[in-house]
């Protein structure tokens, strides 16, 4: 059995898994207060760029001409697509559904990385896909038929997000080699922030109309999401192991169920009122998703 030799700094995704779940709960709360996806995305991407701006300013010139910036610009488009789909999923459904299903991203990253090298798909990855399917079925377990259709829409949105984020990770790992992380990530996140200006006409209301309570949830969630996305992108850019990073990061699926069950009331999450039977099924589903991920390692 092949074992991954993971450097200690790759524990960053463990921290990011926790911050992701907390940020998802905060942004879910902001959505419940009437803050639309477009304003959340605008704020989150602005914060993310500001986090990386100092790194860009202290970097020496990258040596790339303006024509080369299509690469981080395209990468930013994939990143933004994944982000918008996950925001819609959080608005549509439960954190304890969206986060475990995002665990399938690691299988997509491994598959896309493999396909780009024109190799075969190992048998255990197909087994992992079966486990992932079982996990999705468990996430539907115990729901009312109308509610089940609601969960199905959520799973579909998360699937689109996972695909877009997976392409983002694989492209990032491929292109960052010639740039260096300090020269590639800041312009990438600048582009994602600039793209969100097209969302302004879609705002349900101007940013200035958000009250203090809404800003608390949006600002806190956006800041944690910036730390999360920045940490994952940095781990991939520096160690160039997108599959390994996503394998570790996938524990957010289990964390989402545990945190919703234990501290969901802190965020006025409606999921805290789900029956123990449904939450147990979701926990088992999240564990199946994690098992599918482990199969990628063997």
């Amino acid at each position: 059995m092949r074992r991954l030799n993971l450097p200690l700094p790759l524990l960053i995704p463990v921290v990011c898994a926790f911050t992701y779940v907390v940020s998802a709960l905060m942004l879910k709360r902001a959505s419940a207060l009437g803050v639309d996806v477009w304003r959340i995305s605008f704020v989150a991407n602005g914060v993310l760029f500001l986090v990386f701006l100092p790194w860009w300013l202290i970097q020496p010139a990258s040596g790339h001409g303006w024509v080369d910036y299509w690469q981080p610009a395209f990468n930013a488009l994939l990143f933004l697509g994944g982000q918008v789909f996950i925001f819609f999923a959080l608005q549509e459904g439960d954190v304890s559904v969206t986060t475990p299903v995002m665990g399938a991203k690691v299988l997509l990253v491994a598959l896309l990385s493999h396909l780009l090298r024109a190799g075969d798909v190992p048998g255990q990855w197909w087994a992992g896909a079966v486990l992932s399917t079982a996990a999705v079925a468990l996430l539907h377990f115990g729901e009312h038929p109308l509610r089940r259709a609601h969960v199905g829409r959520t799973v579909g949105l998360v699937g689109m997000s996972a695909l877009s984020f997976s392409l983002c990770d694989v492209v990032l790992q491929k292109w960052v080699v010639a740039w260096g992380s300090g020269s590639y990530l800041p312009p990438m996140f600048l582009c994602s922030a600039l793209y969100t200006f097209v969302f302004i006409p879609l705002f349900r209301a101007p940013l200035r109309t958000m009250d203090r309570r809404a800003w608390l949830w949006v600002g806190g969630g956006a800041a944690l999401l910036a730390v999360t996305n920045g940490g994952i992108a940095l781990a991939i850019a520096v160690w160039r192991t997108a599959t390994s990073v996503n394998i570790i990061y996938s524990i957010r699926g289990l964390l989402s169920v545990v945190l919703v069950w234990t501290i969901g009331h802190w965020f006025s999450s409606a999921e805290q009122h789900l029956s123990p039977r449904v939450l147990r099924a979701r926990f088992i589903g999240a564990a199946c998703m994690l098992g599918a991920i482990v199969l990628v390692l063997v």
Side-chain angles (χ1 to χ4, degrees), residues 147-176:
R147 176 68 178 165
R148 193 176 299 123
H150 179 76
V151 173
R153 289 193 297 272
T154 301
V155 170
L157 287 167
V158 178
M160 293 299 295
S161 175
L163 178 59
S164 189
F165 272 135
S166 298
L167 284 169
C168 175
D169 287 357
V170 173
V171 168
L172 171 62
Q173 179 177 316
K174 185 179 180 65
W175 287 341
V176 76

Side-chain angles (χ1 to χ4, degrees), residues 25 28 92-100 138-144 146-148 150-151 154 256-265 268-283:
L25 285 167
K28 175 71 174 175
E92 178 82 12
D94 297 336
V95 173
S96 58
V97 171
T98 59
T99 307
L138 283 165
L139 292 171
H140 287 68
F141 180 77
E143 298 283 4
H144 185 276
L146 292 177
R147 176 68 178 165
R148 193 176 299 123
H150 179 76
V151 173
T154 301
S256 70
V257 179
V258 171
L259 292 181
V260 164
W261 209 339
T262 55
I263 65 171
H265 59 283
S268 301
S269 173
E271 295 175 65
Q272 63 185 299
H273 302 300
L274 291 173
S275 70
R277 181 168 173 258
V278 172
L279 280 172
R280 278 195 297 270
R282 289 186 178 182
F283 189 88

Side-chain angles (χ1 to χ4, degrees), residues 113-124:
S113 298
H114 199 74
L115 287 176
L116 286 176
R117 291 193 295 268
D120 297 328
V121 178
Q124 62 265 31

Side-chain angles (χ1 to χ4, degrees), residues 74-263:
F74 178 71
N75 220 155
L77 195 60
L78 292 173
F79 172 80
L80 187 62
Q83 188 186 76
V84 168
F85 277 119
I86 198 61
F87 285 162
F88 272 121
L90 287 170
Q91 182 175 271
E92 178 82 12
D94 297 336
V95 173
S96 58
V97 171
T98 59
T99 307
V101 174
M102 274 298 288
K105 178 190 167 195
V106 69
L107 298 173
L108 289 171
V109 168
L111 178 61
L112 289 169
S113 298
H114 199 74
L115 287 176
L116 286 176
R117 291 193 295 268
D120 297 328
V121 178
Q124 62 265 31
W125 290 0
W126 296 116
V130 172
L131 267 181
S132 297
T133 303
V136 172
L138 283 165
L139 292 171
H140 287 68
F141 180 77
E143 298 283 4
H144 185 276
L146 292 177
R147 176 68 178 165
R148 193 176 299 123
H150 179 76
V151 173
R153 289 193 297 272
T154 301
V155 170
L157 287 167
V158 178
M160 293 299 295
S161 175
L163 178 59
S164 189
F165 272 135
S166 298
L167 284 169
C168 175
D169 287 357
V170 173
V171 168
L172 171 62
Q173 179 177 316
K174 185 179 180 65
W175 287 341
V176 76
V177 178
W179 287 74
S181 53
S183 298
Y184 190 86
L185 293 178
M188 172 183 159
F189 291 128
L190 169 62
C191 288
S192 67
L194 291 175
Y195 293 157
T196 60
F197 277 88
V198 304
F199 296 163
I200 292 177
L202 303 175
F203 287 1
R204 188 177 298 166
L207 288 173
R208 65 178 179 274
T209 63
M210 287 198 303
D211 59 28
R212 183 177 180 180
R213 184 174 57 160
W215 268 114
L216 175 66
W217 295 110
V218 172
L224 283 176
L225 191 64
V227 170
T228 301
N229 290 332
I232 293 301
L234 181 61
I236 293 172
V238 172
W239 292 284
R240 298 167 193 149
T241 54
T243 301
S244 301
V245 169
N246 278 280
I247 287 168
I248 301 169
Y249 186 42
S250 66
I251 66 169
R252 68 194 185 280
L254 291 173
L255 284 175
S256 70
V257 179
V258 171
L259 292 181
V260 164
W261 209 339
T262 55
I263 65 171

